[in-house]
Amino acid sequence: MDDYEPTGTSSSINSQVPRPGRLSDPFALDPTGTYPLEFLKGDKILSTIVCIESPFAGRGANWLERRYDAFLNLRYARACLRDSLVRGESPFASHLLYTQRGVLRDGVPSERKHGIDAGLRFQEVAAFVAVYVDRDITPGMRLAMAQADRNGKRIVFRSLVGSIEESL
């Protein structure tokens, strides 16, 4: 679980994004959910609000591949939330909240845009944006990174499965 912070402007951020291999099995991160949540013990207050960015929509050559990839992305996003909580942060992942059944439909462009815009507003109160890179960087994640850069927010790249190379 490593962090990496880029330097420079939004035009140079894309060249600094770490590119580890895609994580193909988010179940391997912690399939039982047993790694400790020490912050639940004692009086530690979760005070650092963090916007979480991870892939959501699935990719693939056909419907089944896209559906399975989306399923893996959902499992991975939940592991990212847990990682942030274990770090003592208060994470927010709009792509997990707004895409739930009965809220907004990610497949409807106007609703997708509304959800993205609402999620980006949370950056205003966040201490920084944590970009989880194990399953790649998507266009939606790049959009959030550009917004964070425009707002002067710190961007931290994280990996759940190993170290991130600082030089590309």
Side-chain angles (χ1 to χ4, degrees):
M1 295 186 246
D2 296 317
D3 288 355
Y4 167 79
E5 294 185 38
T7 57
T9 63
S10 61
S11 61
S12 65
I13 285 179
N14 284 341
S15 65
Q16 298 179 44
V17 174
R19 288 178 175 77
R22 284 177 55 89
L23 179 65
S24 61
D25 185 10
F27 293 103
L29 298 174
D30 183 25
T32 61
T34 56
Y35 66 91
L37 292 173
E38 280 97 11
F39 70 90
L40 292 175
K41 300 173 186 168
D43 297 330
K44 188 171 183 182
I45 297 172
L46 302 176
S47 59
T48 304
I49 297 172
V50 179
C51 282
I52 302 295
E53 294 297 333
S54 68
F56 182 74
R59 296 188 228 178
N62 58 53
W63 177 86
L64 185 59
E65 288 178 7
R66 287 189 297 275
R67 185 77 169 181
Y68 183 67
D69 194 52
F71 169 75
L72 294 178
N73 287 343
L74 179 62
R75 295 286 301 192
Y76 178 70
R78 289 174 178 161
C80 295
L81 281 176
R82 185 172 180 85
D83 175 66
S84 181
L85 286 165
V86 168
R87 293 169 184 260
E89 301 164 347
S90 296
F92 177 73
S94 62
H95 55 299
L96 291 183
L97 177 63
Y98 299 144
T99 57
Q100 293 182 62
R101 183 175 294 165
V103 183
L104 294 175
R105 295 168 293 177
D106 196 53
V108 177
S110 62
E111 291 189 21
R112 176 179 167 78
K113 182 182 181 331
H114 189 77
I116 289 171
D117 291 345
L120 292 176
R121 290 292 309 273
F122 272 89
Q123 284 187 5
E124 296 172 16
V125 296
F128 61 92
V129 175
V131 179
Y132 285 83
V133 300
D134 299 301
R135 291 192 50 80
D136 211 355
I137 303 285
T138 64
M141 294 166 67
R142 289 188 190 284
L143 176 69
M145 291 165 47
Q147 180 71 25
D149 188 54
R150 283 191 296 275
N151 290 338
K153 291 292 178 177
R154 189 165 55 116
I155 300 170
V156 176
F157 293 100
R158 290 184 174 166
S159 171
L160 298 182
V161 294
S163 63
I164 296 176
E165 296 178 23
E166 293 191 24
S167 61
L168 301 177

